[in-house]
Amino acid sequence: MENINSILYHAAIYLRLSREDGDVAEGSKLVSNSISNQKALIMDFLKSHTEIKVHSVYADDGYSGVNFDRPDFQRMLEDIRKGTINCVIVKDLSRFGRNYIEAGRYIEKIFPMLGVRFIAITDNYDSMAAAGGYGSDMVVPFKNLINDAYCRDISIKIRSHLDMKRKRGEYIGAFAVYGYLKDERNKNQLVIDEYAAGVVRDIFAMKLCGLNQQTIADRLNNDGILSPMEYKKSIGINLETTFKKGTQAKWSYNAVLRILKMRSIPEC
């Protein structure tokens, strides 16, 4: 059998951190899960593995481990397919992913098929190690199952927390709907945006006069009224959206319809 140390491995260092994972070590955690500390631990590990040379570092900061549709993970896969990488190193299995089935598919099927060595340092797992010990075949599915269960537990807790906020009448959206602003003193409370509220009232007034949505949109554009997206940008709120069609978002049939479907209208 060919000795591991006789092969030169071109490694991908993969790092991941999501909001629910936290950034600081707590309780019994010996190592912080932060991106920088993950990288430091891996680089320290490589000091005693001269057969492994770092090809690239891939980091998905702020991405959940539930699925594998992460930008740098996909970029790493592309480099693996090109043959430029034949080793993947992570701090532990949870950094790789928290989906039991998908993580197992990559570790047990895809990587072996592509000739990729996989190392999870703090789990003492190395796919090229001889056999047995903590890195045996039974441990990886078990660890992945635990990580999957942890992710499900976190998801339930987050939903429960948001549900409690909703019951208390707190606003939990990332951005306030057009016509309102988040209270600067309490981000979970909305206050009326007088300018945008005036536009909303005008839209309802035009609708009551019998105008259809497209006619209302055309009037707003002709009068130089900024669309909701452009207005938010003008007051320093930037957000990505699929509703923007050109270089500057305009009022449209659907934009007016969304205003008319609002459950509450800003009062005078």
Side-chain angles (χ1 to χ4, degrees):
M1 181 180 292
E2 190 171 16
N3 190 286
I4 291 177
N5 292 324
S6 68
I7 305 173
L8 179 63
Y9 290 93
H10 301 281
I13 293 177
Y14 182 71
L15 318 168
R16 184 190 67 79
L17 183 72
S18 63
R19 293 181 183 89
E20 63 265 24
D21 289 319
D23 190 56
V24 181
E26 297 177 357
S28 61
K29 292 184 182 178
L30 298 179
V31 183
S32 165
N33 283 332
S34 73
I35 290 292
S36 59
N37 282 353
Q38 287 177 52
K39 183 178 178 181
L41 183 143
I42 293 172
M43 295 305 293
D44 186 63
F45 168 84
L46 290 176
K47 290 177 182 178
S48 60
H49 290 267
T50 56
E51 82 279 11
I52 302 175
K53 304 298 180 184
V54 177
H55 178 275
S56 296
V57 176
Y58 305 83
D60 284 315
D61 196 353
Y63 287 85
S64 171
V66 175
N67 65 66
F68 289 81
D69 189 21
R70 315 171 208 137
D72 257 28
F73 186 86
Q74 292 301 318
R75 187 168 66 87
M76 180 179 71
L77 283 184
E78 186 61 31
D79 287 342
I80 289 174
R81 294 187 186 102
K82 290 176 182 176
T84 56
I85 289 172
N86 60 353
C87 180
V88 173
I89 307 175
V90 296
K91 176 205 162 196
D92 59 41
L93 291 167
S94 70
R95 298 305 94 208
F96 183 71
R98 291 191 182 277
N99 182 304
Y100 165 63
I101 295 176
E102 281 297 292
R105 188 167 69 91
Y106 278 104
I107 297 170
E108 299 171 18
K109 302 292 183 183
I110 297 177
F111 285 171
M113 180 181 66
L114 296 174
V116 175
R117 179 182 179 184
F118 179 76
I119 300 171
I121 296 172
T122 60
D123 288 320
N124 289 328
Y125 178 79
D126 185 341
S127 64
M128 292 298 291
Y134 189 66
S136 67
D137 290 341
M138 290 183 62
V139 170
V140 173
F142 181 67
K143 287 285 292 185
N144 285 335
L145 186 59
I146 291 174
N147 290 326
D148 191 304
Y150 170 84
C151 190
R152 292 174 188 273
D153 182 56
I154 288 292
S155 179
I156 291 171
K157 287 179 179 177
I158 290 174
R159 287 199 301 269
S160 176
H161 179 65
L162 293 177
D163 189 47
M164 287 179 61
K165 282 192 168 186
R166 280 192 289 264
K167 288 179 179 179
R168 291 198 299 262
E170 296 182 24
Y171 185 74
I172 61 172
F175 298 96
V177 295
Y178 185 72
Y180 294 90
L181 291 171
K182 285 190 175 183
D183 191 331
E184 293 182 357
R185 295 166 296 181
N186 182 356
K187 66 179 182 179
N188 295 124
Q189 295 295 328
L190 296 180
V191 294
I192 293 174
D193 179 345
E194 292 302 334
Y195 172 81
V199 177
V200 172
R201 296 182 199 112
D202 289 343
I203 289 173
F204 275 87
M206 285 187 277
K207 184 63 178 177
L208 289 173
C209 288
L211 301 183
N212 62 37
Q213 284 87 307
Q214 189 58 56
T215 301
I216 295 172
D218 292 340
R219 286 198 177 186
L220 293 170
N221 288 326
N222 291 335
D223 290 342
I225 304 299
L226 293 176
S227 68
M229 180 179 178
E230 296 300 334
Y231 174 67
K232 287 180 183 294
K233 286 171 60 178
S234 73
I235 60 175
I237 302 174
N238 292 314
L239 66 158
E240 296 295 327
T241 178
T242 58
F243 299 122
K244 186 174 180 179
K245 301 297 183 181
T247 56
Q248 184 178 37
K250 298 287 187 180
W251 283 98
S252 64
Y253 176 98
N254 287 329
V256 173
L257 183 61
R258 285 193 295 274
I259 298 294
L260 294 172
K261 285 184 174 181
M262 288 173 59
R263 292 189 177 184
S264 61
I265 306 170
E267 299 178 354
C268 299

